[in-house]
């Protein structure tokens, strides 16, 4: 083998080795977490978002799950039945909230979703292109 062929084989082997475990894990752990709505629009930056959200999930195999958030006002929630696939709650916040679905047994992260808080932009005031004192 020539040196370029050998280096190409080493590169491909290293790439496949690095990709292998993560892609295998993704195939065994097919899970999806859907958040409705994904965005809450407020009228100003100082106004909190008040909205009812619904989290829906799908799993490759039935198992008990827990939903965690990065907001202390919404503590950990865990399902009691494998037939439960939705969670509804009222949200009151001024910041984005990240939701993470984990396996109740192994505490392994399965999926995530984010509620984004956005304020409506104020109408732009058009500025005159020339100054009033301009001669032209």
């Amino acid at each position: 083998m020539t040196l370029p062929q050998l280096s190409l084989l080493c590169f491909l082997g290293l790439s496949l080795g690095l990709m292998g475990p993560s892609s295998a894990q993704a195939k065994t752990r097919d899970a999806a977490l859907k958040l409705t709505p994904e965005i809450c629009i407020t009228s100003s930056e100082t106004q909190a978002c008040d909205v009812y959200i619904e989290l829906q999930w799908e799993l490759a195999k039935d198992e008990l799950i827990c939903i965690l958030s990065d907001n202390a006002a919404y503590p950990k929630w865990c399902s009691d039945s494998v037939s439960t696939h939705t969670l509804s709650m009222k949200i009151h916040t001024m910041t984005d909230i990240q939701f993470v679905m984990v396996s109740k047994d192994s505490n392994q992260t399965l999926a995530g979703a984010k509620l984004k808080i956005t304020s409506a932009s104020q109408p732009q005031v058009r500025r005159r292109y020339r100054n009033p004192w301009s001669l032209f």
Side-chain angles (χ1 to χ4, degrees), residues 11-62:
F11 174 74
L12 288 175
L14 181 61
S15 298
L16 291 174
L18 291 175
M19 290 177 13
S22 61
S23 61
Q25 184 181 9
K27 288 180 184 175
T28 59
R29 284 281 189 194
D30 289 329
L33 182 64
K34 182 181 175 189
L35 174 65
T36 308
E38 295 178 345
I39 298 174
C40 181
I41 300 175
T42 61
S43 59
S44 70
E45 289 184 17
T46 58
Q47 183 183 13
C49 175
D50 287 310
V51 66
Y52 282 97
I53 65 161
E54 183 175 78
L55 291 161
Q56 297 177 330
W57 55 91
E58 294 178 15
L59 300 167
K61 66 174 189 164
D62 288 337

Side-chain angles (χ1 to χ4, degrees), residues 12-127:
L12 288 175
L14 181 61
S15 298
L16 291 174
L18 291 175
M19 290 177 13
S22 61
S23 61
Q25 184 181 9
K27 288 180 184 175
T28 59
R29 284 281 189 194
D30 289 329
L33 182 64
K34 182 181 175 189
L35 174 65
T36 308
E38 295 178 345
I39 298 174
C40 181
I41 300 175
T42 61
S43 59
S44 70
E45 289 184 17
T46 58
Q47 183 183 13
C49 175
D50 287 310
V51 66
Y52 282 97
I53 65 161
E54 183 175 78
L55 291 161
Q56 297 177 330
W57 55 91
E58 294 178 15
L59 300 167
K61 66 174 189 164
D62 288 337
E63 64 181 305
L64 297 175
I65 58 104
C66 292
I67 303 287
L68 310 168
S69 74
D70 60 355
N71 188 320
Y74 305 100
K76 179 180 181 178
W77 175 89
C78 293
S79 64
D80 295 328
S81 168
V82 293
S83 62
T84 303
H85 293 282
T86 60
L87 171 65
S88 299
M89 66 175 77
K90 182 171 169 77
I91 298 290
H92 177 84
T93 184
M94 294 179 73
T95 59
D96 296 353
I97 300 177
Q98 179 75 36
F99 294 96
V100 178
M101 179 173 63
V102 298
S103 171
K104 190 173 182 178
D105 298 328
S106 65
N107 211 28
Q108 182 178 11
T109 301
L110 302 172
K114 185 173 187 175
L115 175 66
K116 184 145 180 70
I117 311 301
T118 305
S119 62
S121 61
Q122 297 296 324
Q124 296 285 333
V125 177
R126 186 171 174 179
R127 185 180 170 275

